[in-house]
Amino acid sequence: MAVDLFRLTIHDAHDLLQRGQLTSLALTQAVLDRILALDNDLQAYLTIVPEMALEMAAAADQRRSQGEDHPLLGIPLAIKDVLCLEGVRTTCGSRILEDFIPPFSATSVARLEAAGAVFLGKTNTDEFAMGSSTENSAFCTTHNPWDLTRVPGGSSGGSAAAVAADLCLGALGTDTGGSVRQPASFCGVVGLKPSYGRVSRYGLIAFASSLDQVGVFGKDVTDAAILLQTIAGHDPLDSTSMPLPTPDYRRALTGDVRGMRIGVPAEYFIAGMQPETEQAVRAAIARLADLGAEIIEVNMPTTAEALPVYYLIAPAEASANLARYDGVRFGLSAGATDIWENYRQTRGAGFGPEVKRRIMLGAYALSAGYYDAYYLRAQKVRTLIRRDFERAFAQVDVMACPTSPFTAFKIGEKADDPLQMYLADIFTLSLNLAGNCGLSMPCGFDSSGLPIGLQLLGPAFGEEKILRAAHAFEQATAWHLPHPPL
């Protein structure tokens, strides 16, 4: 076959599998060989399961021979290492869970497995998904496939890098404040963060429970729609999962945006952002106008408050969620005879500096005398942010803006300046605070050859709208076609 099998999109691979021109075993072996050849340099994976993958591929081929079909049957995928996969080490990028093997799978993972997907392994992540660069992993730093000296973004940097470098055909990530969309932008792939409640969080090891959402990475918009279609839907195991019907997302991929109203929030084009990023995003918006969309300027006045609000609410929830890692029930235990000393030693050795920073910030914000001044006030401003989105989406169908104010930065460049690191997510945080959906897709390259991301924001449970706009832009451009120079 002329094409390298690992280069295939999910939908192209499915067509070949369906016609009998390809087997899942051959496809999976080609991707495993690609991982073997490249991942020592990229470090996208924390755990690779080749035997399991080949067994799943053989089972998929058997199911297909018996007449079964599904868009993901026999497709090799990667799973971010904060989602439980039964019987496979799940670390959250942390020493405190270094040897944890979950006895069950996350609902999103189980739905992929039921569809016949093949699991290649678990991808690297910032520790407990806390970070914007995947430099906070306790085990390794993932490298950007477009430039190995640069970060892939975070916290889902391992999944984004794996998709960009063809070390899988698609992947799951999680997005608490931009952790699917920002690495998708940095790595030049499509990353979709669904609305809060659209995808079950059961089996997702929690960072901030009111913000976390399972998302997907694809090589193109169609692949993202296929993945979302499979994992979306109500789950009685998750009380935050909404009992709503799941639309047919591929039907939204019409290639037509005529009559769509696309809002451009002025507050997302800020002083100090990389000029090439602004130029590429504005050119992308102009292209959507050429395709027949109506461009409308909208105002999001609380945008500047999103960063401080997020960094009060998320650490507060993290401090509560991570209290369970005490060396008593599971995970790392220092083994000290005194229980308080065991707590201190276990958490001191098990957590990295960024996790400790956020636990301390969150505990402080929730402490007596400070709760009203910080956490409660942040929740009130969160309501104002949500209302900004509601007002905007009363005027427009979707909004278009940059995913990040800059392209991928050098490894180590922002490691000693947490505020500068946090600013990498300044255009993505608001969406999680509001619970809405968003997507990042390639819309250009800077002078260093690094991808630039266009972000499309949608209303709650408006994934069809952002997929429609994204697909139309993708069909009219070729930014999704180049490959990293590996």
Side-chain angles (χ1 to χ4, degrees):
M1 193 171 295
V3 66
D4 290 320
L5 296 181
F6 51 77
R7 294 264 192 234
L8 292 170
T9 62
I10 290 172
H11 55 96
D12 286 339
H14 169 260
D15 291 346
L16 293 173
L17 289 163
Q18 191 179 44
R19 294 199 297 264
Q21 296 175 262
L22 177 64
T23 65
S24 179
L25 266 175
L27 177 61
T28 301
Q29 188 62 62
V31 180
L32 287 170
D33 290 344
R34 176 81 167 174
I35 293 170
L36 184 64
L38 295 181
D39 201 48
N40 280 343
D41 293 326
L42 285 171
Q43 298 185 306
Y45 284 89
L46 289 177
T47 301
I48 303 167
V49 287
E51 296 86 359
M52 177 181 178
L54 293 172
E55 287 175 8
M56 295 180 81
D61 286 334
Q62 179 66 23
R63 287 171 61 174
R64 191 173 294 281
S65 72
Q66 295 171 351
E68 285 192 50
D69 189 33
H70 186 280
L72 293 179
L73 181 60
I75 301 296
L77 305 176
I79 309 296
K80 183 180 179 180
D81 204 27
V82 296
L83 289 158
C84 290
L85 174 54
E86 182 180 354
V88 175
R89 188 176 73 129
T90 300
T91 71
C92 287
S94 178
R95 293 290 179 194
I96 211 159
L97 286 177
E98 185 170 3
D99 298 315
F100 174 60
I101 298 177
F104 66 97
S105 290
T107 296
S108 55
V109 174
R111 287 178 175 173
L112 294 178
E113 185 172 7
V118 172
F119 298 145
L120 299 163
K122 308 298 291 297
T123 55
N124 196 20
T125 171
D126 286 297
E127 187 177 7
F128 284 98
M130 298 183 193
S132 304
S133 63
T134 321
E135 292 173 286
N136 292 329
S137 170
F139 304 107
C140 60
T141 295
T142 300
H143 298 254
N144 191 311
W146 294 91
D147 180 345
L148 295 179
T149 68
R150 295 179 185 267
V151 303
S155 63
S156 305
S159 288
V163 173
D166 300 307
L167 306 190
C168 60
L169 270 64
L172 292 189
T174 62
D175 193 312
T176 307
S179 291
V180 164
R181 290 160 288 148
Q182 185 250 31
S185 174
F186 281 13
C187 290
V189 297
V190 176
L192 193 157
K193 179 258 176 205
S195 308
Y196 188 82
R198 176 62 84 188
V199 177
S200 172
R201 294 187 302 110
Y202 180 76
L204 162 59
I205 298 174
F207 160 19
S209 300
S210 75
L211 300 164
D212 296 339
Q213 186 60 204
V214 181
V216 300
F217 292 95
K219 297 180 182 181
D220 63 14
V221 174
T222 302
D223 283 3
I226 290 168
L227 289 164
L228 178 61
Q229 188 76 52
T230 306
I231 66 172
H234 178 61
D235 177 15
L237 297 174
D238 175 11
S239 62
T240 65
S241 169
M242 293 296 288
L244 297 172
T246 302
D248 183 344
Y249 293 118
R250 291 191 74 174
R251 288 186 64 185
L253 309 183
T254 63
D256 184 7
V257 288
R258 285 175 294 179
M260 279 196 86
R261 298 164 301 160
I262 297 179
V264 179
E267 293 83 0
Y268 283 63
F269 294 87
I270 58 175
M273 70 184 295
Q274 183 179 357
E276 292 166 303
T277 295
E278 179 170 357
Q279 291 162 11
V281 171
R282 290 200 182 277
I285 294 169
R287 189 75 183 96
L288 287 166
D290 293 341
L291 294 172
E294 181 184 0
I295 308 301
I296 302 170
E297 185 167 317
V298 295
N299 294 114
M300 301 285 289
T302 57
T303 298
E305 279 69 52
L307 189 69
V309 166
Y310 178 88
Y311 281 102
L312 282 167
I313 293 174
E317 295 185 10
S319 70
N321 279 324
L322 272 60
R324 70 194 69 179
Y325 305 106
D326 53 13
V328 175
R329 288 159 292 182
F330 54 84
L332 177 70
S333 178
T337 54
D338 176 78
I339 189 167
W340 295 108
E341 183 62 20
N342 195 50
Y343 287 165
R344 188 187 70 80
Q345 290 184 20
T346 297
R347 292 168 69 83
F351 289 139
E354 182 62 27
V355 172
K356 291 176 183 175
R357 179 185 293 118
R358 298 199 193 193
I359 289 173
M360 289 189 289
L361 280 170
Y364 181 82
L366 293 174
S367 61
Y370 297 100
Y371 179 92
D372 288 351
Y374 295 110
Y375 182 75
L376 185 60
R377 183 171 293 184
Q379 290 287 18
K380 290 178 179 178
V381 179
R382 181 181 190 173
T383 300
L384 298 178
I385 291 170
R386 186 182 296 115
R387 288 175 183 169
D388 272 359
F389 277 102
E390 289 169 355
R391 279 192 294 268
F393 287 124
Q395 304 172 57
V396 300
D397 298 304
V398 301
M399 288 190 280
C401 61
T403 309
S404 176
F406 38 72
T407 52
F409 48 88
K410 294 276 189 180
I411 293 172
E413 181 181 329
K414 301 182 188 295
D416 296 327
D417 190 341
L419 181 58
Q420 285 299 312
M421 185 74 78
Y422 298 163
L423 287 171
D425 298 328
I426 194 168
F427 298 149
T428 57
L429 298 172
S430 296
L431 200 76
N432 295 77
L433 293 166
N436 293 354
C437 59
L439 176 150
S440 179
M441 64 186 302
C443 71
F445 292 88
D446 70 8
S447 57
S448 298
L450 299 170
I452 296 169
L454 167 68
Q455 185 177 201
L456 296 170
L457 311 178
F461 306 103
E463 287 84 2
E464 291 166 288
K465 294 179 179 179
I466 57 174
L467 285 166
R468 177 185 165 193
H471 183 255
F473 178 77
E474 184 180 83
Q475 294 302 298
T477 60
W479 298 117
H480 64 293
L481 297 177
H483 298 287
L486 293 170

